[in-house]
């Protein structure tokens, strides 16, 4: 009886801590928009923004537990003078719905294609970053009539995209999916301290350029919604991965890669892509890492205007 009472008390305490962290993270409502747009997709409502006029340009953020369309905030005011700019919060991210299921590459491929068909309605230029490069590549390969020029910012290596869920990954996902323990592990991984470390060591080359507002907004994005940990567990256990080599070889669209000089082994990464699609052009931005569009937006804008 004593053991049961202690276990029940520990469970109640863990649940209370998890709920307190969630409420605290979203209390400031930093990602609030006055006139939000919503695409009612079959698996959940998708938050997006639309601004400017001209040829459509879709901005697709990286896939991480704290990712959302805010990633592109420093580019939008300039881009909307020349394009109709769309930013999207992928399902399970940011302000979009976050249903509790396993997220896969094919799910995001379908979302991107359906969004362009339904909300944009014409051939679209796309700029995409990080993990989401695989979704856009596969979507373009399956529905080339929806896409015009593609820009990949800090893409992952093709080898990284080939990973598959292993036995340890499946066990880790099972643990992360547990209501109390999994949520507590997620809260540790997406804490402000963890996000600050990510910005200073992985996202930005110069930690002095990291502003508190970036961390606070990413922190809020990581805790919004019904089940924010669902994308995290699917990503960490490689359910969102897909071999994109054949798709990359078959694409006839113009592709431009922008990478930060601080990324790991950038020359090898670019040559890996060009080995399968020699027409790919590229530029490397000095003193930036995974988010050059946040660390040096002026330089990224320069390459966007040249390429587009």
């Amino acid at each position: 009886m004593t053991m049961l009472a202690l276990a029940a008390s520990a469970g109640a305490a863990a649940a209370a801590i998890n709920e307190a962290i969630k409420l605290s993270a979203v209390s400031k409502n930093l990602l609030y928009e006055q006139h939000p747009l919503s695409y009612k997709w079959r698996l959940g409502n998708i938050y997006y923004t639309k601004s400017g006029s001209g040829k459509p340009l879709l901005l697709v953020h990286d896939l991480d537990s704290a990712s959302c369309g805010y990633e592109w905030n420093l580019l939008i005011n300039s881009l909307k003078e020349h394009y109709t700019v769309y930013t999207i919060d992928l399902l399970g991210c940011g302000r979009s719905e976050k249903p509790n299921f396993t997220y896969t590459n094919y799910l995001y491929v379908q979302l991107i294609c359906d969004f362009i068909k339904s909300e944009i309605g014409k051939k679209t230029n796309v700029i995409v970053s990080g993990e989401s490069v695989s979704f856009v590549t596969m979507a373009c390969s399956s529905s080339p009539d929806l896409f015009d020029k593609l820009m990949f910012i800090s893409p992952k290596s093709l080898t990284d995209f080939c990973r598959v869920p292993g036995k340890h990954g499946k066990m880790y996902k099972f643990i992360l999916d547990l209501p109390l323990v999994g949520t507590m592990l997620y809260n540790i991984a997406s804490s402000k301290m963890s996000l600050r470390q990510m910005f200073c060591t992985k996202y930005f080359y110069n930690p002095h350029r990291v502003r508190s507002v970036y961390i606070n907004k990413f922190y809020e994005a990581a805790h919004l919604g019904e089940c924010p940990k669902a994308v995290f567990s699917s990503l960490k256990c490689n359910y969102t991965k897909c071999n994109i080599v054949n798709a990359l070889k078959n694409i006839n669209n113009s592709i431009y890669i922008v990478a930060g000089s601080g990324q790991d082994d950038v020359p090898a990464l670019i040559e890996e892509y060009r080995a399968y699609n020699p027409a790919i052009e590229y530029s490397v931005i000095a003193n930036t890492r995974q988010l050059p569009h946040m660390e040096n937006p002026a330089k990224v804008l320069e390459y966007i205007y040249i390429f587009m």
Side-chain angles (χ1 to χ4, degrees):
M1 291 295 291
T2 303
M3 290 295 292
L4 285 172
L6 288 172
S9 299
I17 291 169
N18 288 337
E19 187 63 23
I21 290 171
K22 181 180 177 67
L23 292 174
S24 173
V26 303
S27 61
K28 294 181 181 178
N29 209 11
L30 298 173
L31 294 172
Y32 171 77
E33 295 278 352
Q34 268 194 323
H35 305 289
L37 297 172
S38 179
Y39 166 46
K40 299 188 183 303
W41 196 44
R42 61 181 180 274
L43 295 178
N45 292 338
I46 305 301
Y47 174 96
Y48 73 96
T49 67
K50 178 183 177 182
S51 56
S53 59
K55 189 166 184 177
L57 174 61
L58 174 62
L59 308 178
V60 182
H61 62 77
D62 192 4
L63 186 70
D64 205 341
S65 57
S67 299
C68 69
Y70 175 76
E71 182 181 308
W72 306 104
N73 201 54
L74 299 176
L75 303 183
I76 292 173
N77 283 338
S78 297
L79 289 174
K80 71 182 183 181
E81 296 178 5
H82 307 276
Y83 305 96
T84 302
V85 181
Y86 296 81
T87 70
I88 182 174
D89 284 10
L90 296 172
L91 190 72
C93 299
R95 295 150 288 192
S96 291
E97 283 195 50
K98 299 180 178 180
N100 186 14
F101 52 58
T102 299
Y103 292 78
T104 65
N105 185 280
Y106 181 73
L107 179 149
Y108 287 118
V109 169
Q110 290 298 302
L111 169 58
I112 291 167
C113 289
D114 290 347
F115 180 82
I116 294 175
K117 287 177 189 174
S118 174
E119 304 304 299
I120 301 177
K122 58 179 72 172
K123 209 165 189 177
T124 303
N125 290 322
V126 180
I127 303 176
V128 56
S129 77
E131 195 78 33
S132 300
V133 165
S134 68
F135 313 146
V136 171
T137 303
M138 295 298 289
C140 181
S141 177
S142 64
S143 302
D145 53 310
L146 298 177
F147 297 85
D148 196 356
K149 295 183 177 181
L150 308 178
M151 177 176 276
F152 299 162
I153 297 182
S154 304
K156 300 291 185 182
S157 74
L158 297 178
T159 305
D160 182 84
F161 286 137
C162 291
R163 293 180 181 175
V164 295
K167 290 181 181 178
H168 295 295
K170 291 176 181 177
M171 178 59 70
Y172 185 41
K173 189 174 190 307
F174 172 77
I175 294 170
L176 286 171
D177 287 342
L178 293 173
L180 294 180
V181 176
T183 303
M184 189 165 287
L185 290 173
Y186 173 74
N187 286 336
I188 293 169
S190 58
S191 66
K192 274 192 180 181
M193 185 182 296
S194 297
L195 285 173
R196 185 174 289 107
Q197 186 177 8
M198 286 282 283
F199 266 95
C200 292
T201 61
K202 182 180 176 183
Y203 292 159
F204 276 41
Y205 182 86
N206 184 351
H208 298 294
R209 293 178 182 166
V210 178
R211 296 170 57 191
S212 295
V213 66
Y214 301 159
I215 296 167
N216 291 336
K217 291 197 175 187
F218 272 56
Y219 181 60
E220 181 174 298
H223 293 276
L224 287 169
E226 173 195 346
C227 189
K229 68 177 181 179
V231 158
F232 177 80
S233 64
S234 299
L235 177 64
K236 293 300 179 185
C237 301
N238 298 326
Y239 286 91
T240 58
K241 304 290 186 182
C242 179
N243 187 338
I244 66 170
V245 167
N246 287 331
L248 191 65
K249 287 194 290 188
N250 294 332
I251 287 176
N252 290 320
N253 304 62
S254 297
I255 299 175
Y256 198 100
I257 291 177
V258 174
S261 64
Q263 284 181 256
D264 294 335
D265 210 359
V266 171
L269 183 143
I270 291 170
E271 285 310 309
E272 188 181 27
Y273 277 78
R274 286 171 54 82
Y276 294 103
N277 193 325
I280 291 176
E281 300 175 272
Y282 67 92
S283 293
V284 177
I285 300 179
N287 302 326
T288 61
R289 276 205 177 103
Q290 191 171 319
L291 295 178
H293 44 300
M294 292 187 72
E295 190 167 10
N296 192 346
K299 200 65 179 175
V300 173
L301 282 168
E302 180 183 324
Y303 289 130
I304 291 172
Y305 292 140
I306 292 171
F307 175 59
M308 296 294 180

